[in-house]
Structures are given as structure tokens and as C-alpha cells.
Amino acid sequence: MPKDPANIGKPEVAIKDSWCKGCGICVALCPKKVLVMNAQGKAVVACPEKCVGCKMCAEHCPDYAITVEVE
Amino acid sequence: MLADIEEFYRLDRLPHIWCPGCGNGIVLACLVKAIKELKYDQDKTVVVSGIGCSSRASAYLDFNTLHTTHGRALAFATGIKLAKPELNIFVITGDGDSSAIGGNHLIHAARRNIDLNVVIFNNNIYGMTGGQYSPLTPKVQKATTAPYGTIERPFDLAKLVEAAGATYVARSTAYHTRLTTELIINGAKNKGFSVTEVISQCPVSYGRRNRFNTPAAMLEWQREMAVPVIKARSMAPEELEGKIITGELYRGHAPEYVSEYTKLTQRLKEEAEGV
Ligand SMILES: Cc1ncc(C[n+]2csc(CCOP(=O)(O)OP(=O)(O)O)c2C)c(N)n1
Ligand code: SF4
Ligand code: SF4
Ligand code: SF4
């Protein structure tokens, strides 16, 4: 998917839903409250615009479900 | 995250079988990043593990891997290193695997100062078999075999291996991912027996029983309890009670076992040839 020009240069966090085991670590450790748990008990990106690209979530996801791209 | 290191995983085996929030996946990624940064040839790198949830890690990695028997990873690793000294060998072992059933292998590998890089996944419990206490379960903490809290004093594994002869000893936690990677790299560069103990979390067999309501609470506990070794040196023993001292704890110098063995075989060969 091509990037919205407004988001160029911004970090982009993505979660591979099928690999998420719903442990909640990423949601708890994200300093900017970017991520939330959904009704199915999986982590989802709720406020992508707040992401600062620190990778706390990806570094601590035990299931390698998170990618953070920082340009 | 995986994209940076996926070449080192057997992707067809993922997702792994570990429980939600288990620290094993986090610590394993730190080890893989260390191997990547060391630029070791994948075909010249061996990962040997024992038995336990943590020891299952070797099955997910695309190196030469050996998933051995409980407590015996170091015995297998010793054999490989002696036969093929040019290989880079990492040993993955749990706290039970390394300090209980495998305790004797650990102290003798340290005594020999054989060039192996051990990463101890210390989740303070026997995770795989349902939460029996290990020699590293902190006193008063609960386990299936200690429903009222254990009355035993745990080992300080770092001090134990230092006293036994290891020449590189370090400690980190699953929370401190970058430190963990850095310490494993430094351990691998040490030509001798290197041990990095990583405090990890088992939310299922340990956390739930010990009032950690979530896996994240266990990581936050690791963050709060960690004291860098430089700071710890100026703290009183009472202040350090229950703390996790992190960083490079010890570095020593001693002859390395395989080098000594090679020298011996060389000498005997020369004597036999009459030179
Ligand atoms: C000879 C032998 N004794 C006992 C067992 C049962 N057993 C399997 S794993 C394990 C303990 C694992 O604990 P630890 O090394 O701390 O690893 P974790 O599962 O916590 O990662 C035990 C006792 C076994 N597999 N083999
Ligand atoms: S840390 Fe990983 S497995 Fe846990 S909730 Fe977040 S994405 Fe899911
Ligand atoms: S990269 Fe940092 S800010 Fe962005 S979602 Fe992950 S933890 Fe939150
Ligand atoms: S039992 Fe504990 S150590 Fe084993 S996979 Fe589950 S959380 Fe991890």
C-alpha cells in the first residue's frame, strides 16, 4: 500500500494478527499508548500517529508479531 | 522485528509453542541479534540446548542445532568443541537444566574454561514440567513443590561459575534487550567459558503463583529490580537484597581447554615423529 504523503518520514508500526498471542506486553510497554487490545484479545494499532518509533513493543513481543519501520 | 533476523530462524516452525508472554522468545531474539552482529557464518555456528521450555529454542533456529538431554547440553557442546574447535558454539539452557540436573556439567565446563558461550534463560522455575522450584527460585517464592514458599536459599549462579573458573560472567534481563545482546556478544568474543545469565519470565508456571498478574508486570519487575554492576559496587548488601545486578560481572584469564588439548596432541605427535 503506498504511503499517505502526510505520513512520509513517520514510523510505522504493524502487528501480524495471526502471530499475536494476546499477552499484552506491547500495550503495557508502549510509552505513547499507540496500541490496545481488541475484543478478540489481540493487540491492534489504535493511534498510529502517536508512534515515535522507539521499538519497545517490537523488542519485547515474545512472538515476533510486531514490525516497526523507521525511515 | 523478525524481519531483521528472520534469516536465522526456521520460519516454517513459527509461531513457536511458548505460552503468551513467555520470556523465551524475547531472550532468543537477543541471542540471534548477537550472532548476527558477530557476523558468524551460519554453517560454522552451533546452538546446543538441553531440555525445558527454554531449551526448545534450538528447534526454531537455522544454525547447526542440537536439542540434547536434560542437563547435558554442556557435555554435548564440549564434545563438539573438542572435535571441531573452529566452530562457534552457543549453549541455551534453563535455570533447572543448568543448575540442578546439569549443575555438575556447569561447574566442570567452567573449571576447564572451555570456549563455549552459555546463555542461561533463568525464569526461576521448572516451566516445562509445571512449576516445581529450581535451585534459582528466590526464597519464599511459591512453586507447585513449595506451596507455602520455598525455604531454600537460591544459588547466585554468576558467583558460582566465577568461583568454578569461568572467564566471562554477565547478567541481564529479558526487559533489557539491548544489554542482553551486547553482553552475549562480549561473551562470545571471550576465548574461554562465558556465561550470560538472563533473568526471564514464566508467567504461567511462576508468575501466576507469585502475584504477577500479567507478563508485562514481570518485565516491569525486571526493570525495577535491575541495578547496573557499577552502581551496585557502592551499595550495601542490605540495599542489594532481592535486586538483579546486571552487566559484565567478572572477567578473568586462564588457559583455554581446547588450546591446551591441541598443544598436548601436537607435542605427543612431535615426540612420536622424533622431532
Ligand atoms: C533426566 C530427566 N529428568 C527429568 C526430566 C523432566 N524435566 C523436563 S524439563 C525439566 C525442568 C526444566 O526446567 P528449566 O531448565 O528451568 O527450563 P524451563 O522449562 O523453565 O525453561 C524437567 C525436570 C527430563 N526430561 N529428563
Ligand atoms: S506483545 Fe506480541 S504477542 Fe503480546 S499482545 Fe503484543 S503483539 Fe500480541
Ligand atoms: S514503536 Fe514505540 S511508540 Fe511506536 S507503537 Fe511501538 S512502543 Fe509504541
Ligand atoms: S510454561 Fe513458562 S517457560 Fe514454559 S512456555 Fe509457558 S511461560 Fe514459557
Side-chain angles (χ1 to χ4, degrees), chain B residues 5-268:
Chain B
I5 48 171
E6 66 179 17
E7 63 200 281
F8 304 103
Y9 283 81
R10 292 178 187 149
L11 291 175
D12 57 329
R13 301 281 183 89
L14 294 176
H16 55 61
I17 58 151
W18 293 316
C19 308
C22 174
N24 289 339
I26 305 174
V27 182
L28 183 60
C30 295
L31 168 62
V32 171
K33 279 184 211 156
I35 300 176
K36 180 178 171 157
E37 281 187 43
L38 285 158
K39 298 196 169 65
Y40 284 166
D41 181 342
Q42 233 157 315
D43 293 329
K44 296 230 174 303
T45 302
V46 186
V47 178
V48 187
S49 63
I51 293 291
C53 295
S54 41
S55 287
R56 207 183 150 79
S58 59
Y60 300 115
L61 299 178
D62 192 13
F63 299 102
N64 298 290
T65 60
L66 256 87
H67 191 181
T68 69
T69 56
H70 197 24
R72 271 68 185 174
L74 281 167
F76 287 86
T78 298
I80 300 165
K81 191 69 191 175
L82 275 170
K84 300 235 175 237
E86 70 278 13
L87 299 178
N88 308 301
I89 305 180
F90 293 86
V91 176
I92 293 177
T93 174
D95 47 304
D97 196 60
S98 61
S99 75
I101 192 168
N104 236 15
H105 290 289
L106 183 70
I107 57 174
H108 293 288
R111 183 176 59 82
R112 295 184 184 117
N113 191 35
I114 183 164
D115 188 17
L116 299 173
N117 311 301
V118 185
V119 181
I120 298 174
F121 288 44
N122 177 8
N123 59 11
N124 306 114
I125 203 83
Y126 288 3
M128 179 172 260
T129 43
Q132 296 79 7
Y133 70 85
S134 88
L136 298 185
T137 304
K139 201 171 170 181
V140 314
Q141 294 298 88
K142 293 190 174 127
T144 46
T145 45
Y148 305 105
T150 147
I151 56 169
E152 295 185 20
R153 287 189 304 166
F155 275 137
D156 179 331
L157 210 51
K159 283 191 185 151
L160 182 86
V161 294
E162 177 189 331
T167 46
Y168 177 91
V169 184
R171 190 187 289 116
S172 187
T173 80
Y175 179 82
H176 299 87
T177 49
R178 266 158 247 176
L179 177 68
T180 302
T181 300
E182 202 180 291
L183 292 173
I184 295 172
I185 291 173
N186 293 344
K189 287 181 181 164
N190 172 49
K191 196 166 165 51
F193 194 65
S194 305
V195 178
T196 303
E197 178 190 13
V198 188
I199 310 301
S200 182
Q201 76 275 7
C202 167
V204 172
S205 297
Y206 182 79
R208 285 193 300 196
R209 211 165 271 122
N210 288 290
R211 295 203 205 140
F212 287 107
N213 293 332
T214 61
M218 302 182 84
L219 283 167
E220 279 154 7
W221 174 83
Q222 292 164 17
R223 179 184 66 204
E224 279 155 31
M225 288 301 140
V227 179
V229 62
I230 299 168
K231 193 172 169 211
R233 289 202 176 111
S234 61
M235 286 167 72
E238 311 82 71
E239 291 179 283
L240 288 170
E241 194 72 42
K243 295 285 194 293
I244 304 165
I245 304 177
T246 58
E248 186 176 308
L249 306 179
Y250 177 76
R251 204 184 263 270
H253 296 281
E256 193 276 325
Y257 188 69
V258 181
S259 311
E260 294 300 297
Y261 181 74
T262 310
K263 270 192 245 163
L264 174 69
T265 48
Q266 200 63 39
R267 197 189 83 208
L268 294 179

Side-chain angles (χ1 to χ4, degrees), chain A residues 15 20-26 37 43 60-63 65-66:
Chain A
I15 301 177
C20 169
K21 289 184 189 155
C23 70
I25 287 176
C26 56
M37 301 306 288
H60 295 95
C61 172
D63 281 275
I66 309 180

Side-chain angles (χ1 to χ4, degrees), chain A residues 11 13 26 29-35 50-58 66 68:
Chain A
V13 53
C26 56
L29 295 191
C30 171
K32 297 292 171 190
K33 309 256 173 292
V34 173
L35 314 169
K50 289 196 204 153
C51 177
V52 291
C54 68
K55 300 194 181 175
M56 276 298 277
C57 54
I66 309 180
V68 180

